[in-house]
Amino acid sequence: VDPRSGEILDADIGMSDVFARGARRQVIEDFSRPAGHAHEHAPANALSSHKKLSTCNYMNESAHELHFAFDLLEARGLDMDSPEAEAVAQSYVKDVIMHEVGHTLGFRHNFKASTVYSAKQIQDVEFTKKNGITTSVMDYTPFNIAAKGEKQPEYGMSTLGAYDYWVVDYAYRQIDAAKETEELAKIAARSTEPQLIYATDEDAGYATMFYGIDPEANRFDLGADPLEYYKKRLKLSRELWDRLEALQLKPGESYERLTRSFVAGLNQVARVAPLAAKYVGGVKHLRDRAGSGRALYEPTSPARQREALKLVADGLLKVDSFKFRPEFVSRIGIDHFERRANPDVSISAAVLGTQRQALDVLLADNVAQRLLDSADKVADPSKAFKLAELYDTVQNAIWSELKAGGDINPLRRNLQREHLRRVVNALVKPAPTTPADARALQRMNAQQLAAQIKAAMGKAGNKETKAHLAESLDLLSEALKASIQRTV
């Protein structure tokens, strides 16, 4: 790029012939670290932040999508040597290359392009061949997989979208110099058209550097109703796991097949969890200039926040959220050529990593502050979604066994300890960013939880459950009595 003018002098795409297979290998190697967000780790400083935001990771992240699609389709009976399987792989190659060509032309990501078309439209092959499944190849687009029993639509982007034609027109139309300002203004004036909606990396969020507050600006969502897409994706993951549990491997086939497919489904849940959680305390925002007549910031409706919170609580935080047959769990194996120090596999640890991603969003201080502020932005504050409701819902889902009594399994004990760790830290050493009302609610909920644990002690089942509850009660009691350590 010419630093004086920004003119692109040369731009290339390098593609390995194994760039799709590589991610499938990575799935097994990274078993204990579900993919989740592509932006898991925040850069250390401003310079690295700029470089990181300028980096496109679509190829690798989309490869995980491809392998989830392959694993599910294979479990449904797809022959991996068939023309259909080849077509799935080629659709991935075409989608990724179109995206990267956009970067060589100087275009940034557009993470709202995926929210324009309805679920019905993106299931219509004739519609998507003409318009695409999103309005831009510059989005991070998941594979468009049909639900069980539905007709399969196009898997990915097979053509450019309306937004792509528009930005090419603005950047590259040949215009007489005397009319350039006027003509470019006419093209830019179309920015409020629904198909040209735009949001980029900063809007989608990047760890703690840029908080993503808009629940409709995301990597890897699809359709005009993202929550419906997330529900569907959870069902597809569950379908994959159910098929794996019933799968009879061929003699001589490696158990890595089960490991790979299990993690592919878990990665999908890990992607969905924080995106659905963004609706809680979410604020839709636009990049309009004066004159558009639209509000720049629009808080998510209480009904949508409750719907999203229920999806996360039911799908990730309740007793029935993750259940696997012991016969299946005992067959989840490792690659012995990549043997680790402890060759045993812990599914509960992998699941906890996914649950943490949802809790990181739901219990973040900035979410608490937005919920507290939302009462000032609605005509009837009593109808606003309240922070107390969020804390109560999360705590009740995680500690639901306290009412019934009996055994608490290891997977659930892990999640309860994770929640307890956050509660204790909030009581003893609250962050300077924690709102005062959030601290007060956390203390009240901790007192309620301590009383519930104490009442449940007599109904506890096995010794492990009794020890877990006793330790939890001790930690809570000590934290509630401890002096607060203020951080500066």
Side-chain angles (χ1 to χ4, degrees):
V1 175
D2 187 332
R4 299 167 299 178
S5 64
E7 180 185 7
I8 300 172
L9 304 178
D10 182 64
D12 304 284
I13 301 168
M15 173 188 170
S16 163
D17 63 332
V18 296
F19 85 137
R21 286 194 291 271
R24 199 163 232 191
R25 175 78 263 152
Q26 183 184 348
V27 161
I28 298 174
E29 293 170 353
D30 291 351
F31 175 72
S32 61
R33 297 187 290 113
H37 283 319
H39 53 285
E40 233 173 351
H41 304 291
N45 55 55
L47 180 59
S48 62
S49 299
H50 175 75
K51 289 181 178 178
K52 190 71 174 177
L53 279 172
S54 303
T55 301
C56 176
N57 199 30
Y58 186 49
M59 181 195 75
N60 287 331
E61 292 300 314
S62 188
H64 285 288
E65 293 290 322
L66 170 68
H67 298 314
F68 172 71
F70 268 152
D71 287 344
L72 179 56
L73 294 173
E74 186 178 13
R76 287 176 175 177
L78 176 70
D79 181 356
M80 297 305 288
D81 291 325
S82 66
E84 184 182 352
E86 176 68 14
V88 176
Q90 292 300 334
S91 70
Y92 160 73
V93 172
K94 182 176 183 179
D95 188 313
V96 170
I97 295 301
M98 286 195 297
H99 179 99
E100 303 306 342
V101 168
H103 285 314
T104 69
L105 296 174
F107 304 141
R108 294 196 67 188
H109 294 136
N110 181 359
F111 293 131
K112 277 201 174 180
S114 57
T115 63
V116 175
Y117 300 136
S118 68
K120 184 178 181 180
Q121 287 174 314
I122 61 178
Q123 291 169 359
D124 183 341
V125 173
E126 293 305 314
F127 178 87
T128 58
K129 283 183 176 179
K130 180 180 178 181
N131 302 284
I133 62 174
T134 79
T135 60
S136 176
V137 297
M138 301 313 298
D139 207 327
Y140 278 21
T141 310
F143 267 68
N144 186 22
I145 306 173
K148 185 178 179 180
E150 292 181 350
K151 184 179 178 181
Q152 178 59 50
E154 282 196 294
Y155 288 104
M157 288 288 283
S158 61
T159 186
L160 300 180
Y163 173 87
D164 302 317
Y165 286 104
W166 178 59
V167 293
V168 167
D169 190 27
Y170 184 91
Y172 291 99
R173 181 194 288 188
Q174 297 296 312
I175 303 173
D176 182 272
K179 298 181 179 180
E180 185 175 59
T181 301
E182 178 185 353
E183 289 298 316
L184 289 178
K186 288 180 181 178
I187 299 172
R190 296 181 55 208
S191 65
T192 56
E193 294 178 16
Q195 291 186 324
L196 307 183
I197 195 167
Y198 171 77
T200 193
D201 293 80
E202 300 94 306
D203 305 303
Y206 192 94
T208 56
M209 185 175 59
F210 290 106
Y211 289 108
I213 66 173
D214 190 338
E216 295 181 4
N218 296 307
R219 303 162 182 86
F220 295 108
D221 60 357
L222 188 61
D225 188 345
L227 277 181
E228 285 304 312
Y229 166 76
Y230 302 146
K231 292 175 186 177
K232 179 180 179 180
R233 216 60 170 181
L234 291 178
K235 288 180 180 178
L236 291 177
S237 292
R238 187 71 256 180
E239 179 194 344
L240 174 58
W241 292 334
D242 289 343
R243 290 180 181 274
L244 289 176
E245 288 186 313
L247 179 66
Q248 294 296 320
L249 295 177
K250 298 175 184 177
E253 191 174 359
S254 173
Y255 283 110
E256 286 183 47
R257 158 79 187 281
L258 301 181
T259 306
R260 183 196 71 212
S261 296
F262 170 77
V263 177
L266 193 60
N267 282 340
Q268 289 297 311
V269 179
R271 259 201 225 290
V272 164
L275 299 185
K278 277 176 68 176
Y279 274 87
V280 179
V283 180
K284 179 180 178 180
H285 63 93
L286 303 172
R287 287 171 168 254
D288 287 6
R289 289 181 173 271
S292 72
R294 302 188 297 184
L296 283 185
Y297 293 90
E298 183 181 345
T300 302
S301 72
R304 290 291 275 177
Q305 293 187 63
R306 291 189 179 97
E307 182 183 1
L309 183 56
K310 186 178 188 305
L311 171 62
V312 175
D314 290 351
L316 278 86
L317 304 180
K318 288 194 173 179
V319 174
D320 295 332
S321 298
F322 296 95
K323 275 193 172 181
F324 305 101
R325 297 176 189 169
E327 314 87 75
F328 171 69
V329 174
S330 64
R331 292 188 296 163
I332 295 294
I334 65 166
D335 177 3
H336 287 279
F337 289 104
E338 298 287 343
R339 190 178 181 89
R340 49 185 88 169
N342 179 7
D344 192 25
V345 170
S346 173
I347 282 186
S348 61
V351 168
L352 181 60
T354 299
Q355 293 168 324
R356 279 191 183 119
Q357 294 193 49
L359 294 179
D360 285 345
V361 178
L362 292 175
L363 303 182
D365 286 345
N366 60 320
V367 171
Q369 189 62 63
R370 288 201 300 274
L371 287 175
L372 291 169
D373 290 342
S374 64
D376 298 328
K377 299 176 181 178
V378 294
D380 186 354
S382 65
K383 294 182 179 180
F385 183 81
K386 293 181 171 57
L387 181 59
E389 184 176 345
L390 168 61
Y391 288 165
D392 289 347
T393 302
V394 170
Q395 183 164 298
N396 290 338
I398 293 174
W399 294 90
S400 60
E401 292 95 333
L402 297 181
K403 291 182 179 179
D407 294 344
I408 302 175
N409 66 44
L411 191 150
R412 293 288 293 170
R413 295 200 298 267
N414 278 352
L415 175 59
Q416 290 168 2
R417 289 188 187 102
E418 175 63 24
H419 178 255
L420 192 64
R421 179 184 67 81
R422 295 167 186 260
V423 170
V424 169
N425 285 342
L427 292 174
V428 177
K429 197 173 182 179
T433 55
T434 305
D437 282 344
R439 291 199 305 269
L441 287 169
Q442 287 164 346
R443 177 166 287 273
M444 177 178 286
N445 275 27
Q447 292 167 338
Q448 293 171 350
L449 179 58
Q452 290 168 352
I453 293 175
K454 189 174 183 179
M457 295 285 285
K459 299 181 290 182
N462 57 32
K463 190 171 182 179
E464 288 82 4
T465 299
K466 292 177 181 177
H468 165 63
L469 293 179
E471 181 187 44
S472 299
L473 182 58
D474 285 345
L475 287 172
L476 270 177
S477 300
E478 291 300 317
L480 286 166
K481 291 185 293 185
S483 300
I484 296 177
Q485 302 173 31
R486 299 290 185 185
T487 53
V488 180

